[in-house]
Amino acid sequence: MAQPLVKKDDDRDDEAEYSPFLGIEKGAVLQEARVFNDPQLDARRCSQVITKLLYLLNQGETFTKIEATEVFFAVTKLFQSRDIGLRRMVYLMIKELSPSADEVIIVTSSLMKDMNSKTDMYRANAIRVLCRITDGTLLAQIERYLKQAIVDKNPVVASAALVSGIHLLQTNPEIVKRWSNEVQEAVQSRAALVQFHALALLHQIRQNDRLAVNKLVTSLTRGTVRSPLAQCLLIRYTSQVIRESSNNTQTGDRPFYDYLESCLRHKSEMVIFEAARAITELNGVTNRELTPAITVLQLFLSSSKPVLRFAAVRTLNKVAMTHPMAVTNCNIDMESLISDQNRSIATLAITTLLKTGNESSVDRLMKQITNFMSDIADEFKIVVVDAIRSLCLKFPLKYRSLMNFLSNILREEGGFEYKKAIVDSIVILIRDIPDAKESGLLHLCEFIEDCEFTYLSTQILHFLGVEGPKTSDPSKYIRYIYNRVHLENATVRASAVSTLAKFGAAVESLKPRIFVLLRRCLFDSDDEVRDRATLYLNTLGGGGTGDGTVFETDKDVKDFLFGYFDIPLVNLENSLKNYEPSGEPFDINSVPREVKSQPLAEKKAPGKKPAGLGAPPSGPPSTADAYERLLASIPEFASFGKLFKSSPPVELTEAETEYAVNVVKHIFDRHVVFQYNCTNTIPEQLLEDVTVIVDASDAEEFSEVFSKPLRSLPYDSPGQTFVAFEKPEGLPTVGKFSNILKFIVKEVDPSTGEAEDDGVEDEYQLEDLDVVAADYMLKVGVSNFRNAWENMDPDAERVDEYGLGARESLAEAVNTVINLLGMQPCEGTETVPPNARSHTCLLSGVFIGNVKVLVRLSFGLDGPKDVAMKLAVRSEDESISDAIHEIVASG
């Protein structure tokens, strides 16, 4: 197919694009197509016109029915030419035009004549075209010719028939399946391409018969497949069989693995790579099985061919995610690839090294990456930034050098997505590594001094307003914030004013200084900035344009500045529009919290939701603070005390069901509150009086104390209903709860969105819900586990040994205990080296009652698969140490 050409002029710095088809129009080309009707055909001229027609079709140009028919009939006249080049163009044109059934008849005889021609090129192309445009009726007539073509001595003809069979299998499978004998004969062909296409077709014919595929793979792995392409296919089919039979270790896993390993010694590089990749992707692959594959991939790293270097480093990059220790032997070779001319190879090498490196190699890697970053595009830089963030979370003690690196590249040139990735990484490190908070916030403050992106500046200011007051010296951030009021656009200035107010509300000693700065903002040129300054001065009690303060208590002020805004903006907008100025001020409490259902015709398709830093909340609140405010707004829960923990949502319904329900478990000292988040996915229904009936017969220590139903649940508008239980104080009480969703369903008129007056009671069975011991533990990490362990009272330490029984692997045992306790792994100890027979895992957390807990787990293999574990627990309360042991003993 002709493509636009690029013509380079060495005498000019810029490049001029040139295309022979530039500016061609459909009408002019259709006029040129009249040459097809000339008595004396000019083959070269006709080929040029067909090329233009194909170009128009591939550019998306549409032909009317009449135009397509005229072109088709004109093209069919070209069969009288004996020019081979023109005949091939005719075949292409007929395929692209896809003639209708009545038009196919016109060319069928010509194509069948060509299919039996002595010219092999005619035969191969005629087969492809016929199979593309024919229907089932005509296919039955030419089936005999196609079977003969499959076993034809000419590989071009045989491949054409096999490829046509692959396509026809989608539309006429019953006919193609009758060709199995011929296809199986073609698999033994000496022609590489024929063997490749035959194996692909034979596998597709048998793909729904697992036993037949198994037999096919077994027979071929014992035989000789000459074609490297067919060998690659066979490797893939072998891997599929191994995956499907992985539960039965006596059905040929080892012979098939031996075949894969033997392919590592093949003379074709593509076969070697395909076998190595297949081995690395095997389920439960061991270190011994990985070693030969890693060895050949390591050799490819030093290949002179860029495609081999790229393939090897990309595969090793994937292996490093699950078996980092197996890849460490390749680190020296990968370090040499950091300076590779191909930036994709260099990026993969860097990210792999970051995954496999140890704590002592971090500083050396950072020096190499610093020079490397300036030479790659933003899309590669983002990959490196993500890898560095993961490395920092793995080795939190190295946060200083990694945070400095992120800060340095943040000040370099780059696009929005790249800068946002860096800012998001710094924010995550600040949240997950407490020691990194102050330095990370200062780096963000320095960045907004020169930030050219308004969105990033406002989001950093918002984050600074939340985290800055919690640091040891909040005053040092005030200068950076106030500078934004003078040096930025109105949007950023307004955001800076809000951040200043948050510092004033959270830090009493800073209030006088904040008042002075906010008063200066009253003279800003922008209305929004002035209005915010006035509002916050009155809110904080600093005096604005009005008298007195807006709120009476500090709690009200903090709720206003830091609180979750749970009023739908649509309702607020409508209430403000309907508000008539009078002696009574606008009361925000009068704004309804529930979203009214809209007529279906007015509903818009949901768009993509923003993610990352500053993404607005969607549906129910998802953060701990938002949950706490939501529960505090319900009077019945006010006496429960402070919320200890909220679990991630647990799905109680399957996807694509009529009603979507998930539940969040809110843990208090003496109570557990289930928040059921419900969504009605049926447009023609309105649900009212929605509640969940909870059966706690399998949770004897829990007693239900309160249930809050949901008054109305319109289509696609999430709502919440709550059920509260009382439990023994301070204890990790567990139990299973059965759930039934009950409601009144009313039909909705799609045109108006109005619901009928009468409804019908109905119920919907939900999945069971478990309250487990991990629900009573907060994941809270420590930056230095050894120091934290030594500072904990040794008298509160409890040590015991446990037999965990037979396990699939040591890693599976480690993950099971981590999930059972619900604690935060420290210093990357959750990753078990491949083929390890012992491992130590460090965990930290906060138990209900705000009791800090540290756990040291020592695992070892006791026999082939039996795992033994030594559990050492230290906490601020020795009774909690005992409770952790009880959880493990009963789990």
Side-chain angles (χ1 to χ4, degrees):
M1 184 64 60
Q3 296 292 335
L5 305 176
V6 177
K7 183 180 179 181
K8 295 184 178 179
D9 190 346
D10 295 334
D11 298 327
R12 300 180 61 181
D13 293 334
D14 59 329
E15 295 181 351
E17 290 189 359
Y18 169 76
S19 168
F21 306 113
L22 191 64
I24 66 172
E25 295 180 356
K26 181 177 72 172
V29 177
L30 291 176
Q31 289 293 327
E32 291 183 59
R34 293 180 177 179
V35 298
F36 300 159
N37 299 316
D38 291 348
Q40 296 295 325
L41 290 175
D42 184 343
R44 185 171 180 274
R45 176 64 178 152
C46 290
S47 294
Q48 290 177 343
V49 175
I50 291 178
T51 302
K52 291 181 181 180
L53 289 167
L54 291 171
Y55 173 79
L56 289 173
L57 288 169
N58 278 275
Q59 291 298 310
E61 189 75 54
T62 57
F63 288 6
T64 65
K65 177 65 176 175
I66 295 176
E67 291 170 343
T69 301
E70 290 179 351
V71 170
F72 172 74
F73 279 110
V75 168
T76 57
K77 296 179 181 179
L78 299 180
F79 274 105
Q80 60 186 305
S81 172
R82 295 186 178 274
D83 186 89
I84 294 179
L86 178 58
R87 182 66 60 89
R88 296 181 68 183
M89 297 300 290
V90 170
Y91 293 138
L92 278 176
M93 195 66 205
I94 293 173
K95 285 174 64 177
E96 288 295 325
L97 286 174
S98 298
S100 58
D102 54 342
E103 295 170 343
V104 168
I105 301 173
I106 306 298
V107 292
T108 299
S109 58
S110 298
L111 290 172
M112 292 185 69
K113 181 181 177 182
D114 282 354
M115 197 168 66
N116 294 290
S117 169
K118 294 181 179 180
T119 306
D120 291 332
M121 189 60 67
Y122 287 0
R123 295 170 60 203
N125 284 295
I127 289 171
R128 290 177 184 270
V129 176
L130 262 176
C131 293
R132 172 70 178 270
I133 66 175
T134 191
D135 57 12
T137 305
L138 181 59
L139 183 61
Q141 299 176 20
I142 63 172
E143 183 182 2
R144 177 169 60 88
Y145 300 106
L146 292 174
K147 283 185 176 183
Q148 293 173 354
I150 288 174
V151 294
D152 195 275
K153 293 181 180 180
N154 188 294
V156 177
V157 175
S159 279
L162 289 165
V163 172
S164 298
I166 292 173
H167 292 300
L168 288 170
L169 194 63
Q170 310 301 319
T171 55
N172 298 276
E174 66 286 343
I175 294 179
V176 179
K177 287 179 180 179
R178 296 202 293 260
W179 306 349
S180 292
N181 292 336
E182 288 77 13
V183 176
Q184 197 152 6
E185 184 179 341
V187 171
Q188 307 303 323
S189 171
R190 292 182 176 274
L193 210 56
V194 174
Q195 193 174 50
F196 168 64
H197 289 143
L199 179 56
L201 178 56
L202 189 58
H203 179 266
Q204 286 198 24
I205 290 173
R206 300 182 178 182
Q207 63 182 350
N208 295 323
D209 186 344
R210 183 180 296 183
L211 182 60
V213 172
N214 204 320
K215 287 182 178 178
L216 173 66
V217 170
T218 302
S219 63
L220 292 178
T221 52
R222 293 173 181 170
T224 55
V225 178
R226 300 178 185 84
S227 165
L229 286 170
Q231 192 93 352
C232 290
L233 267 186
L234 182 57
I235 290 171
R236 294 185 182 184
Y237 300 153
T238 303
S239 301
Q240 178 187 348
V241 171
I242 293 175
R243 282 195 301 271
E244 292 176 350
S245 60
S246 59
N247 294 328
N248 186 353
T249 57
Q250 299 179 352
T251 56
D253 293 41
R254 185 54 58 196
F256 287 151
Y257 172 80
D258 291 343
Y259 166 73
L260 295 179
E261 190 176 20
S262 69
C263 291
L264 295 175
R265 298 182 289 276
H266 198 276
K267 61 182 179 180
S268 171
E269 290 169 337
M270 80 167 80
V271 175
I272 296 173
F273 169 73
E274 191 68 37
R277 187 176 67 87
I279 290 174
T280 62
E281 293 178 353
L282 289 175
N283 293 331
V285 63
T286 64
N287 194 51
R288 188 193 69 79
E289 292 170 332
L290 270 178
T291 300
I294 298 295
T295 301
V296 298
L297 291 173
Q298 186 175 5
L299 293 174
F300 284 172
L301 291 177
S302 54
S303 170
S304 60
K305 300 177 181 178
V307 66
L308 280 180
R309 298 199 303 274
F310 175 79
V313 74
R314 185 174 68 168
T315 304
L316 290 171
N317 185 278
K318 292 179 180 178
V319 174
M321 295 179 183
T322 53
H323 299 82
M325 297 303 296
V327 186
T328 51
N329 292 335
C330 306
N331 282 3
I332 295 176
D333 299 276
M334 280 190 285
E335 285 188 26
S336 64
L337 295 180
I338 295 177
S339 56
D340 197 283
Q341 292 182 350
N342 187 308
R343 295 291 83 186
S344 298
I345 295 175
T347 304
L348 286 167
I350 281 288
T351 53
T352 307
L353 287 168
L354 290 173
K355 293 171 186 173
T356 59
N358 52 38
E359 198 163 4
S360 60
S361 65
V362 169
D363 295 328
R364 177 166 51 85
L365 279 175
M366 288 301 102
K367 290 180 182 178
Q368 291 177 294
I369 296 174
T370 301
N371 300 326
F372 160 82
M373 290 293 281
S374 59
D375 299 331
I376 60 176
D378 280 5
E379 58 183 310
F380 297 128
K381 291 179 182 178
I382 293 173
V383 176
V384 175
V385 168
D386 290 341
I388 289 173
R389 179 184 66 211
S390 300
L391 184 70
C392 192
L393 294 175
K394 182 179 179 182
F395 302 118
L397 292 179
K398 287 293 183 181
Y399 78 87
R400 292 186 186 277
S401 59
L402 295 172
M403 189 73 83
N404 287 334
F405 174 81
L406 291 174
S407 174
N408 290 335
I409 62 175
L410 189 57
R411 290 193 289 269
E412 296 175 358
E413 292 185 2
F416 170 76
E417 293 296 336
Y418 171 49
K419 293 298 180 72
K420 184 177 182 296
I422 301 173
V423 171
D424 284 345
S425 295
I426 293 177
V427 166
I428 290 171
L429 297 181
I430 290 172
R431 287 173 175 167
D432 291 357
I433 306 176
D435 292 345
K437 178 177 288 187
E438 299 206 8
S439 61
L441 289 175
L442 280 176
H443 289 319
L444 292 177
C445 287
E446 292 168 358
F447 168 62
I448 59 174
E449 295 277 303
D450 302 310
C451 180
E452 57 183 307
F453 302 108
T454 297
Y455 174 82
L456 288 182
S457 295
T458 56
Q459 297 307 312
I460 290 172
L461 287 168
H462 171 74
F463 182 70
L464 194 60
V466 175
E467 297 294 332
K470 300 175 184 178
T471 59
S472 58
D473 184 15
S475 61
K476 61 185 175 184
Y477 307 109
I478 300 299
R479 173 175 63 87
Y480 295 99
I481 300 169
Y482 186 65
N483 283 346
R484 300 306 96 217
V485 177
H486 292 292
L487 305 175
E488 292 285 357
N489 57 49
T491 303
V492 178
R493 296 203 306 272
S495 183
V497 169
S498 298
T499 304
L500 286 173
K502 290 177 181 178
F503 272 79
V507 186
E508 189 67 28
S509 60
L510 290 179
K511 264 191 179 181
R513 184 178 175 188
I514 297 297
F515 288 157
V516 173
L517 299 179
L518 289 177
R519 290 191 185 103
R520 292 178 184 173
C521 297
L522 294 173
F523 303 99
D524 193 273
S525 60
D526 184 73
D527 290 342
E528 175 74 12
V529 177
R530 292 196 305 271
D531 289 347
R532 289 198 185 193
T534 302
L535 172 64
Y536 294 137
L537 279 169
N538 284 290
T539 299
L540 297 174
T545 57
D547 300 325
T549 60
V550 177
F551 299 103
E552 295 181 359
T553 65
D554 288 342
K555 182 180 182 303
D556 293 336
V557 172
K558 291 180 180 179
D559 287 344
F560 172 69
L561 289 172
F562 298 98
Y564 171 71
F565 191 71
D566 60 349
I567 299 175
L569 293 179
V570 174
N571 294 358
L572 179 60
E573 180 183 4
N574 291 334
S575 298
L576 288 170
K577 286 179 178 179
N578 297 330
Y579 171 68
E580 295 181 1
S582 61
E584 292 294 327
F586 177 77
D587 183 8
I588 198 168
N589 292 322
S590 65
V591 181
R593 261 60 174 177
E594 295 180 5
V595 180
K596 295 181 179 179
S597 60
Q598 297 174 315
L600 297 182
E602 298 178 11
K603 284 188 176 288
K604 297 181 179 179
K608 288 187 177 180
K609 299 177 182 178
L613 182 65
S618 171
S622 57
T623 65
D625 290 341
Y627 281 139
E628 190 166 8
R629 287 190 293 272
L630 175 65
L631 295 172
S633 67
I634 301 174
E636 289 80 3
F637 301 150
S639 61
F640 288 4
K642 183 170 178 58
L643 176 65
F644 173 69
K645 177 184 177 180
S646 296
S647 74
V650 179
E651 297 297 333
L652 299 182
T653 56
E654 297 180 356
E656 309 298 331
T657 54
E658 301 95 319
Y659 313 110
V661 181
N662 63 54
V663 62
V664 177
K665 295 173 280 188
H666 301 294
I667 308 299
F668 294 85
D669 193 37
R670 294 184 56 191
H671 297 85
V672 174
V673 176
F674 298 146
Q675 174 187 327
Y676 295 92
N677 301 312
C678 309
T679 303
N680 173 18
T681 63
I682 303 178
E684 297 82 9
Q685 288 186 0
L686 170 69
L687 307 186
E688 292 186 349
D689 295 333
V690 181
T691 186
V692 176
I693 305 301
V694 183
D695 180 4
S697 56
D698 292 332
E700 296 178 353
E701 296 183 79
F702 292 84
S703 58
E704 184 174 334
V705 294
F706 174 71
S707 176
K708 178 178 171 58
L710 176 62
R711 190 177 66 82
S712 176
L713 186 64
Y715 164 66
D716 201 24
S717 178
Q720 299 88 41
T721 177
F722 300 84
V723 180
F725 285 84
E726 190 174 18
K727 68 174 190 66
E729 183 174 358
L731 296 180
T733 314
V734 299
K736 181 187 287 288
F737 301 82
S738 301
N739 307 281
I740 298 177
L741 184 70
K742 297 198 70 173
F743 48 84
I744 296 175
V745 59
K746 294 184 176 181
E747 297 296 325
V748 175
D749 186 345
S751 60
T752 63
E754 296 295 328
E756 296 180 355
D757 295 334
D758 298 328
V760 179
E761 289 189 4
D762 200 356
E763 61 182 42
Y764 190 82
Q765 182 68 49
L766 305 176
E767 298 289 338
D768 291 346
L769 171 66
D770 292 308
V771 173
V772 296
D775 291 326
Y776 298 95
M777 182 73 74
L778 278 175
K779 291 185 177 182
V780 179
V782 293
S783 58
N784 189 321
F785 187 89
R786 181 178 179 181
N787 289 345
W789 181 267
E790 292 175 351
N791 291 332
M792 196 76 76
D793 184 6
D795 294 335
E797 181 176 346
R798 297 291 184 270
V799 183
D800 205 346
E801 296 182 355
Y802 300 88
L804 303 184
R807 298 284 173 174
E808 287 296 323
S809 64
L810 206 59
E812 189 258 338
V814 172
N815 290 331
T816 299
V817 178
I818 291 175
N819 294 332
L820 175 65
L821 296 177
M823 301 181 70
Q824 177 66 42
C826 300
E827 302 175 9
T829 55
E830 72 276 16
T831 302
V832 180
N835 214 28
R837 296 193 61 82
S838 62
H839 183 69
T840 299
C841 182
L842 310 175
L843 307 176
S844 68
V846 174
F847 195 72
I848 187 169
N850 292 317
V851 180
K852 294 181 181 177
V853 182
L854 298 177
V855 167
R856 190 192 299 271
L857 300 167
S858 300
F859 296 87
L861 286 175
D862 183 15
K865 288 196 173 184
D866 288 344
V867 178
M869 180 186 73
K870 181 180 179 181
L871 169 63
V873 183
R874 285 189 181 184
S875 71
E876 296 174 333
D877 185 340
E878 59 185 35
S879 65
I880 301 303
S881 299
D882 293 329
I884 299 299
H885 276 277
E886 290 176 9
I887 292 171
V888 173
S890 61

